[in-house]
Structure formats: C-alpha cells, structure tokens
Amino acid sequence: MSAHHENGEQSQALVPTTHFGYQEVPETEKEQLVRGVFSNVASKYDLMNDLMSLGVHRLWKRFTVDLARPRPGQRVLDLAGGTGDLAAAIYPRVRPNGSIVVSDINPEMLAVGESRLADKGIIAGVEFVEANAEDLPFPDREFDLVTLAFGIRNMTHPERALKEIHRVLKTGGRVLILEFSHPRWPGLQTIYDMYSFKLLPRIGELVAKDRESYQYLVESIRRFPDQETFKMMMEDAGLERVEVFNLSGGIVALHRGFRMD
C-alpha cells in the first residue's frame, strides 16, 4: 500500500462524525442536514408535532410554562423556539415590562414564528434572533429563564448548548428542556416503536409529502440519551437541582435545572 493511500485513510479516520438519525455523518455536515429537515417541515411543523404526539404536545408545553413560572419583568430566552408556541404562552406572564428572545438556527422556522406571533398581536417586547444554540450571541447572565422544547436532540453537541445555557442564565435563573425521551411504562416502548417506525414516516409522506424528514425525526428520538443520562449532562454543564418530570409515561421528559453560582 502506498504511503499516500495510508495517509488518505488516516485523515479520513480523523474526521469527527456524529449521528444524523441512524446514519453516521461528518460533524461539519450535521447542522446543514438538520437545517434542511426543518426548512422542509417549517410550514407544517405544528401539524407534524400534532401527528408525532397525537396532539398532546400542547399539554406538555402548557405544563412546561406552568412549571417555568415566568413572572412580570423577566427576560426569557426561548431556544430552538421556531414556531413561537412557548413564547406565545410565556408572553402574557412577563408583560408589561418583561421581554422574550426567540432564537432558532433556522430562518424559515423563525419566519413562521414571527408571523404567527404577529397574528396574535404579540410584537412589542419580542425579538427573533437567528443563532446556533452551541454558540449564543448573548452576554453572560442575561436571562431569568431559558426554555427549549423539542430542539436539543437535533444539536450536534448538546453538551455545548447546555454550557451556553448555563452561561447566559442569571444566578438563580432556570432552564426547562422538554424533549422526547424513553418510555417508562411496561409495554409502552413496543407500542411506541410500532407507531413511530411504521406509521409516522407513512403519515409524513401522506400529509407533508416528506417521508425522509419524518424518518429522521423518529430516529433522532431513539438516539437521544435517556432521562438519567441527560440529567447528568445538565449537571456536568454546571446546572444544579436538576429534576426530571416524565410525561405520558416517559414518551416525553421535562428536565428543569438552575444556575446557582
């Protein structure tokens, strides 16, 4: 074997990879691939959440906002907040003098969220920022509350996003992360797998004309760490008093943590 060929193989092996659903892809490509999925589904994203959760995602989000306890005058960051669901629910609780930043890496998702909130008359005190959660453009200790619903499993380095969340939280500030997780009830995993792998991509094909994006979303849920592992990841990022709330038998988990330093 030539030295040139060996070097080529070595440099290939050194390219860091990550998972995109069940595929291994170069880390540098994941962000673009995820962006593509959400550009494809932006206009039908809420419909997609309804299908993936049988409509229950609205209740999960309501529980998240109730547990977050946003208060008047607070500054809130809604990460991966594309369609503005959480921001719309939090808005009346922080007004008149509080503010919300809705941040997403995907401009199409942000555009959907911005027009949706404007339709509801939610304009003053809301800012839309296109940003990568792993490298946020905000000062240290800027926010009282950070929320993140169904976004962290799509990030290339979730641990970096958690460190950034810790950095931008004020002392005593809290983060609530809602994400699909690992079912805890006996027998639920089997039923859920059948629904996810057999039915969902088919529904995606019929309703959104996009089987591949739905297939990725199902696979990305399976690749995401379980409740305890993710709790430890939050603690490793410096967050304290981390609690886990299993919803719908653990199909979804809500993790809450605080910055205490």
Side-chain angles (χ1 to χ4, degrees), residues 126-142:
V126 181
E127 194 186 340
F128 289 82
V129 176
E130 188 183 330
N132 185 336
E134 296 176 20
D135 184 19
L136 292 170
F138 307 115
D140 295 359
R141 301 179 189 270
E142 171 83 356

Side-chain angles (χ1 to χ4, degrees), residues 32-46:
Q32 267 326 104
L33 290 165
V34 170
R35 201 182 283 245
V37 167
F38 285 93
S39 298
N40 290 345
V41 301
S43 62
K44 294 202 167 78
Y45 185 68
D46 280 350

Side-chain angles (χ1 to χ4, degrees), residues 42-99:
S43 62
K44 294 202 167 78
Y45 185 68
D46 280 350
L47 172 63
M48 186 184 80
N49 275 339
D50 280 332
L51 295 172
M52 288 180 80
S53 70
L54 302 176
V56 186
H57 74 101
R58 295 163 197 279
L59 298 177
W60 297 332
K61 287 172 181 167
R62 193 178 307 160
F63 179 76
T64 301
V65 174
D66 285 344
L67 200 68
R69 299 194 184 93
R71 291 190 293 281
Q74 290 193 324
R75 184 149 169 78
V76 179
L77 172 62
D78 184 25
L79 274 178
T83 57
D85 272 13
L86 283 181
I90 290 167
Y91 185 79
R93 305 200 192 193
V94 297
R95 298 305 288 161
N97 49 354
S99 60

